[in-house]
Amino acid sequence: GQPTLYKDTATTTQSGLNTPRSVAFDSVNQRLFVADYVNDRVLVYDVSTITNGENAIYVLGQTNFISDIATSTQSGMFGPVGLAYDSANQRLFVSQTSHCITVYNVATSTIANGMNAINVLGQSTFTGNTSAMTQSRLNTPIALEYDGASKLFVADSVNSRVIVYDVAAITNGENAINVLGQSSFVTATSTPTQNQLHVPYGISYDTVGKRLFVSDRTDNRVVVYDVNAITNGENAVNVLGQSNFTNSTATTTQTGLARPQAVTYESSNNLLYVSEFDNNRIVAYDVNSIVDGEAAVDLIGHYMENDGITPDYTKSSVNSSPGLYGLSSGVVYSNALDTLNHRLFSAENGNGRILVFNLDSSNRLIDKTPDYVLGQSTFFYTSSARTQASIGNVTGLAIDVSGQ
């Protein structure tokens, strides 16, 4: 999606991306499918060996790699957001913000740029794009999950439900067979209870335990369903992120969640990874034997000041800021280099501080960790005060090297 790890330019090219929203992996043929949301397409990469910034090998939803037309047609796409791959039948399911799910035959012998979808769900035709709350219709489907046998689970976000399709053989616009999060296909209540959902955003399936994990975004929780035998509107069996099924408070703790989005189940270690929009982190739960409201066992995104390894469950800012390992949204406005004592001073505007990095004898960074902070008493404070030791929104630096 970018030529290097340090670029973030949005492009509509064979190698570029613009707001990728979901990925699906074909482990047999070593292909990665990417929902390139703003470009209204799905790109296919050969990842048997990866080169940074490599070209995609196929595009779906557009006739070529430089078009980005949003259309509701059999060959077009309108805001693809979710993907699921059926490895046995080489089918790719794509959820779109035009309130539909399109199905593609992506067998290696038949896939082609701009190819037609073979089926559509959520609409009776490929050109339909209106929302509804019925047994056959959708309203902004987000995440998809295929159970590997015959069921497709769909997070129907605005309808606050998860619906289940039997996709062993698909008829365009067919009815869903089950609904979770609502008592029926025509209700959309959204109170935090054991059998209701409020804007589900992510789903993941445990093929052995027959469990479905659903991120209930607005209720700040993940609920777990036993889907070995599904009853419409059934109760969830467990909840994570809240101590019970009626709480919905967002928190930044080891047991709490704040607007969870994607969920991913890892079967070999029975771990569930949950990404959180507001807490800017990914937490991991041991779900071998779940206790409601249990504590996470690991975290990615925020670490303790003293080692940069130990998880810190109390931070929520982007890039762990303020701290040793992140910067604020204000970023760095100015730098000054002390070539005599080999130090770099960086003015971090948003956090009201100056970070000091020790350099080697050639004035290169030794590591990515600042060694001192000026303007704040510790790396974790961002108070703005008019005192002898404090600074506000610092925007410029200059250093007198000889006078220090």
Side-chain angles (χ1 to χ4, degrees):
Q2 300 293 334
T4 74
L5 293 166
Y6 307 100
K7 296 288 186 181
D8 63 356
T9 306
T11 58
T12 310
T13 63
Q14 191 168 356
S15 60
L17 295 166
N18 191 346
T19 318
R21 287 284 298 267
S22 182
V23 293
F25 182 56
D26 169 11
S27 60
V28 175
N29 299 297
Q30 293 293 297
R31 296 181 298 178
L32 184 71
F33 301 93
V34 180
D36 192 15
Y37 174 68
V38 175
N39 281 333
D40 299 295
R41 66 185 185 177
V42 169
L43 291 182
V44 188
Y45 292 94
D46 178 352
V47 291
S48 53
T49 58
I50 301 175
T51 304
N52 289 344
E54 70 182 53
N55 282 340
I57 56 174
Y58 293 107
V59 61
L60 304 174
Q62 304 292 332
T63 57
N64 56 57
F65 290 101
I66 57 174
S67 298
D68 60 355
I69 302 168
T71 58
S72 296
T73 63
Q74 191 169 358
S75 61
M77 285 188 189
F78 195 114
V81 287
L83 300 175
Y85 181 65
D86 169 13
S87 58
N89 300 295
Q90 295 193 71
R91 295 181 299 179
L92 183 71
F93 300 91
V94 182
S95 64
Q96 303 180 41
T97 52
S98 52
H99 316 296
C100 73
I101 299 164
T102 46
V103 189
Y104 295 86
N105 177 2
V106 292
T108 54
S109 58
T110 61
I111 189 170
N113 292 341
M115 67 188 298
N116 283 339
I118 56 172
N119 290 111
V120 63
L121 299 169
Q123 303 289 333
S124 58
T125 68
F126 288 102
T127 56
N129 59 11
T130 57
S131 63
M133 183 177 55
T134 67
Q135 192 169 353
S136 62
R137 301 291 299 281
L138 299 166
N139 192 345
T140 317
I142 301 292
L144 304 175
E145 182 80 333
Y146 181 63
D147 74 346
S150 63
K151 291 184 177 66
L152 181 71
F153 298 95
V154 181
D156 191 19
S157 65
V158 177
N159 282 334
S160 293
R161 64 185 186 178
V162 169
I163 60 174
V164 188
Y165 288 100
D166 182 346
V167 292
I170 302 174
T171 303
N172 290 343
E174 70 181 49
N175 282 340
I177 58 172
N178 289 111
V179 61
L180 299 170
Q182 300 295 329
S183 59
S184 73
F185 289 103
V186 293
T187 56
T189 52
S190 52
T191 54
T193 63
Q194 194 168 354
N195 62 355
Q196 291 187 10
L197 295 169
H198 194 183
V199 189
Y201 225 76
I203 47 180
S204 191
Y205 181 64
D206 169 12
T207 57
V208 176
K210 307 298 182 185
R211 297 177 297 177
L212 188 71
F213 302 93
V214 181
S215 67
D216 192 15
R217 191 175 190 257
T218 305
D219 284 335
N220 301 298
R221 65 184 186 175
V222 171
V223 291
V224 188
Y225 291 96
D226 179 349
V227 291
N228 186 47
I230 303 174
T231 303
N232 290 343
E234 70 181 52
N235 283 340
V237 293
N238 288 111
V239 62
L240 300 170
Q242 303 292 336
S243 58
N244 57 55
F245 288 101
T246 57
N247 288 346
S248 60
T249 305
T251 58
T252 308
T253 63
Q254 193 168 353
T255 57
L257 294 170
R259 286 208 284 177
Q261 300 209 133
V263 288
T264 304
Y265 175 68
E266 192 274 299
S267 59
S268 60
N269 294 293
N270 263 300
L271 291 174
L272 184 73
Y273 294 93
V274 182
S275 67
E276 295 177 74
F277 184 83
D278 284 354
N279 281 334
N280 297 287
R281 66 185 187 180
I282 299 170
V283 290
Y285 292 96
D286 181 346
V287 292
N288 183 49
S289 180
I290 303 175
V291 176
D292 291 346
E294 70 181 48
V297 296
D298 208 349
L299 173 146
I300 299 169
H302 302 297
Y303 310 102
M304 299 297 288
E305 178 182 7
N306 60 347
D307 61 9
I309 298 171
T310 306
D312 187 338
Y313 293 94
T314 65
K315 295 182 190 175
S316 63
S317 300
V318 176
N319 297 325
S320 280
S321 64
L324 280 167
Y325 302 97
L327 301 172
S328 77
S329 57
V331 201
V332 174
Y333 269 46
S334 179
N335 291 304
L337 183 64
D338 176 3
T339 55
L340 181 63
N341 291 291
H342 311 298
R343 295 179 297 186
L344 175 69
F345 297 85
S346 295
E348 192 190 354
N349 175 273
N351 280 332
R353 65 185 184 176
I354 298 163
L355 298 177
V356 187
F357 297 85
N358 287 333
L359 307 176
D360 66 15
S361 59
S362 300
N363 292 313
R364 295 173 299 194
L365 282 172
I366 298 171
D367 53 40
K368 305 296 192 302
T369 305
D371 298 279
Y372 303 99
V373 62
L374 300 174
Q376 301 291 339
S377 58
T378 77
F379 287 101
F380 291 99
Y381 282 101
T382 61
S383 59
S384 179
R386 190 177 292 110
T387 68
Q388 193 167 357
S390 302
I391 55 176
N393 292 335
V394 57
T395 57
L397 292 177
I399 185 166
D400 167 16
V401 175
S402 60
Q404 288 295 295

